[in-house]
Coordinates of all heavy atoms in Angstrom, one line a residue:
P963 N -25.8 9.4 18.5 CA -25.2 10.8 18.5 C -24.7 11.1 17.1 O -24.3 10.2 16.4 CB -24.1 10.7 19.5 CG -23.7 9.2 19.5 CD -24.9 8.5 19.3
T964 N -24.6 12.4 16.8 CA -24.1 12.8 15.5 C -23.2 14.0 15.6 O -23.5 14.9 16.4 CB -25.3 13.2 14.6 OG1 -26.2 12.1 14.5 CG2 -24.8 13.6 13.2
D965 N -22.1 13.9 14.9 CA -21.1 15.1 14.8 C -21.2 15.7 13.5 O -21.2 15.0 12.5 CB -19.7 14.6 15.1 CG -19.5 14.0 16.5 OD1 -20.4 14.2 17.3 OD2 -18.4 13.5 16.7
I966 N -21.3 17.0 13.4 CA -21.5 17.8 12.2 C -20.5 18.9 12.1 O -20.2 19.6 13.1 CB -22.9 18.4 12.1 CG1 -24.0 17.3 12.1 CG2 -23.1 19.2 10.8 CD1 -25.4 17.8 12.2
R967 N -19.9 19.0 10.9 CA -18.9 20.2 10.7 C -19.3 20.9 9.4 O -19.7 20.2 8.4 CB -17.5 19.7 10.7 CG -17.0 19.3 12.0 CD -15.6 18.7 12.0 NE -15.0 18.5 13.3 CZ -15.3 17.5 14.1 NH1 -16.2 16.6 13.7 NH2 -14.8 17.4 15.3
A968 N -19.1 22.2 9.4 CA -19.4 23.0 8.2 C -18.7 24.3 8.3 O -18.3 24.7 9.4 CB -20.9 23.1 8.0
N969 N -18.7 25.1 7.2 CA -18.1 26.4 7.3 C -19.1 27.4 7.9 O -18.8 28.3 8.7 CB -17.8 26.9 5.9 CG -16.7 26.2 5.2 OD1 -15.9 25.5 5.9 ND2 -16.5 26.3 3.9
Q970 N -20.4 27.2 7.6 CA -21.5 28.0 8.1 C -22.7 27.1 8.5 O -22.9 26.1 7.9 CB -21.9 29.1 7.1 CG -20.8 30.0 6.7 CD -21.3 31.0 5.6 OE1 -22.1 30.6 4.7 NE2 -20.8 32.2 5.6
A971 N -23.5 27.6 9.4 CA -24.7 26.9 9.8 C -25.7 27.9 10.4 O -25.4 28.9 11.0 CB -24.4 25.8 10.7
T972 N -27.0 27.5 10.2 CA -28.1 28.2 10.9 C -29.0 27.2 11.6 O -29.5 26.3 10.9 CB -28.9 29.1 9.9 OG1 -28.1 30.0 9.2 CG2 -30.0 29.8 10.6
A973 N -29.1 27.3 12.9 CA -29.9 26.4 13.7 C -31.3 27.1 14.0 O -31.3 28.2 14.5 CB -29.2 26.0 15.0
F974 N -32.4 26.4 13.6 CA -33.7 27.0 13.9 C -34.4 26.3 15.0 O -34.3 25.0 15.2 CB -34.6 26.8 12.6 CG -34.0 27.5 11.4 CD1 -33.1 26.9 10.5 CD2 -34.5 28.8 11.1 CE1 -32.6 27.6 9.4 CE2 -34.0 29.5 10.0 CZ -33.1 28.9 9.2
F975 N -35.1 27.1 15.9 CA -35.7 26.5 17.0 C -37.2 26.4 16.8 O -37.8 27.3 16.2 CB -35.5 27.4 18.3 CG -34.1 27.3 18.8 CD1 -33.0 27.9 18.2 CD2 -33.9 26.6 20.0 CE1 -31.7 27.8 18.7 CE2 -32.6 26.5 20.5 CZ -31.5 27.1 19.9
T976 N -37.8 25.4 17.3 CA -39.3 25.3 17.3 C -39.6 24.7 18.7 O -39.1 23.7 19.2 CB -39.8 24.3 16.3 OG1 -39.4 24.8 15.0 CG2 -41.3 24.2 16.3
D977 N -40.6 25.4 19.4 CA -40.9 25.0 20.8 C -39.6 24.9 21.7 O -39.4 24.0 22.5 CB -41.6 23.7 20.8 CG -43.0 23.7 20.1 OD1 -43.6 24.8 20.1 OD2 -43.4 22.7 19.5
K978 N -38.7 25.9 21.5 CA -37.5 26.1 22.3 C -36.5 25.0 22.1 O -35.5 24.9 22.8 CB -37.9 26.2 23.8 CG -38.8 27.3 24.1 CD -39.2 27.3 25.6 CE -40.2 28.4 25.9 NZ -40.6 28.5 27.3
E979 N -36.6 24.2 21.0 CA -35.6 23.1 20.7 C -35.1 23.3 19.3 O -35.9 23.7 18.4 CB -36.2 21.8 21.0 CG -36.6 21.4 22.4 CD -37.1 20.0 22.6 OE1 -36.8 19.2 21.7 OE2 -37.7 19.7 23.6
V980 N -33.9 22.9 19.1 CA -33.3 22.9 17.7 C -34.0 21.8 16.9 O -34.0 20.6 17.3 CB -31.8 22.6 17.8 CG1 -31.3 22.5 16.3 CG2 -31.1 23.8 18.5
R981 N -34.7 22.2 15.8 CA -35.4 21.3 15.0 C -34.8 21.1 13.6 O -35.0 20.1 12.9 CB -36.9 21.7 14.9 CG -37.6 21.7 16.2 CD -37.8 20.3 16.8 NE -38.6 20.2 18.0 CZ -38.9 19.2 18.7 NH1 -38.3 18.0 18.3 NH2 -39.7 19.2 19.7
K982 N -34.2 22.2 13.1 CA -33.6 22.2 11.8 C -32.3 22.9 11.7 O -32.1 23.9 12.4 CB -34.6 22.8 10.8 CG -34.2 22.6 9.3 CD -35.2 23.2 8.3 CE -35.0 24.7 8.3 NZ -35.8 25.3 7.1
I983 N -31.4 22.4 10.9 CA -30.1 23.1 10.8 C -29.7 23.1 9.3 O -29.6 22.1 8.7 CB -29.0 22.3 11.6 CG1 -29.3 22.0 13.0 CG2 -27.6 23.1 11.5 CD1 -28.4 21.1 13.8
D984 N -29.5 24.3 8.8 CA -29.1 24.5 7.4 C -27.5 24.6 7.5 O -27.0 25.4 8.3 CB -29.6 25.8 6.9 CG -31.1 25.7 6.5 OD1 -31.6 24.6 6.5 OD2 -31.7 26.7 6.1
L985 N -26.9 23.8 6.6 CA -25.4 23.7 6.6 C -24.8 24.2 5.3 O -25.4 23.8 4.2 CB -25.0 22.3 7.0 CG -25.5 21.8 8.3 CD1 -25.6 20.3 8.3 CD2 -24.6 22.3 9.4
N986 N -23.7 24.9 5.3 CA -23.1 25.4 4.0 C -21.6 25.3 4.1 O -21.0 25.7 5.1 CB -23.5 26.8 3.7 CG -24.9 26.9 3.2 OD1 -25.2 26.6 2.1 ND2 -25.9 27.4 4.1
G987 N -21.0 24.8 3.0 CA -19.6 24.7 2.9 C -18.9 23.6 3.6 O -18.9 23.6 4.9
N988 N -18.3 22.7 2.9 CA -17.6 21.5 3.5 C -18.3 20.8 4.6 O -17.8 20.6 5.7 CB -16.2 22.0 4.0 CG -15.3 22.6 2.9 OD1 -15.2 22.0 1.8 ND2 -14.7 23.7 3.2
V989 N -19.6 20.4 4.2 CA -20.4 19.8 5.2 C -19.9 18.3 5.4 O -19.8 17.6 4.5 CB -21.9 19.8 4.8 CG1 -22.8 19.1 5.8 CG2 -22.4 21.2 4.6
D990 N -19.8 18.0 6.7 CA -19.3 16.6 7.1 C -20.2 16.1 8.2 O -20.2 16.8 9.3 CB -17.8 16.7 7.5 CG -17.2 15.3 7.7 OD1 -18.0 14.3 7.9 OD2 -16.0 15.2 7.6
V991 N -20.9 15.1 8.0 CA -21.9 14.5 9.0 C -21.5 13.1 9.3 O -21.4 12.3 8.4 CB -23.4 14.6 8.5 CG1 -24.3 14.1 9.5 CG2 -23.7 16.1 8.1
Y992 N -21.4 12.8 10.6 CA -21.0 11.5 11.0 C -22.0 11.1 12.1 O -22.0 11.5 13.2 CB -19.6 11.5 11.6 CG -19.1 10.2 12.2 CD1 -19.6 9.0 11.7 CD2 -18.2 10.2 13.2 CE1 -19.1 7.8 12.3 CE2 -17.7 9.0 13.8 CZ -18.2 7.8 13.3 OH -17.7 6.6 13.8
Q993 N -22.9 10.1 11.8 CA -23.8 9.6 12.7 C -23.1 8.4 13.4 O -22.8 7.4 12.7 CB -25.2 9.1 12.1 CG -26.3 8.9 13.1 CD -27.6 8.8 12.5 OE1 -27.8 8.4 11.4 NE2 -28.6 9.3 13.2
K994 N -22.9 8.4 14.6 CA -21.9 7.6 15.3 C -22.5 6.3 15.9 O -23.7 6.3 16.3 CB -21.2 8.3 16.4 CG -20.5 9.6 15.9 CD -20.1 10.5 17.0 CE -19.1 10.0 17.9 NZ -18.7 11.0 19.0
P995 N -21.7 5.2 16.0 CA -22.2 4.0 16.6 C -22.3 4.2 18.1 O -21.6 5.0 18.7 CB -21.2 2.9 16.2 CG -20.0 3.7 16.0 CD -20.4 5.1 15.4

C-alpha cells in the first residue's frame, strides 16, 4: 500500500481505473511495509 500527500493532484483513468497521478506542491509519498 502507498500513502500520498500533496497540495494538488490530477488522477487519470484508463479502462475505468486510476493509472496515473500528477502531483504538485509538497509531495510526500510513503510506500508502506
Side-chain angles (χ1 to χ4, degrees):
T964 301
D965 294 350
I966 301 172
R967 287 175 172 79
N969 294 344
Q970 299 175 327
T972 302
F974 297 88
F975 286 76
T976 301
D977 296 330
K978 302 179 183 179
E979 293 185 20
V980 175
R981 297 294 188 182
K982 187 179 80 167
I983 307 172
D984 285 353
L985 303 154
N986 283 285
N988 297 317
V989 179
D990 190 337
V991 181
Y992 177 30
Q993 194 165 36
K994 301 162 68 176

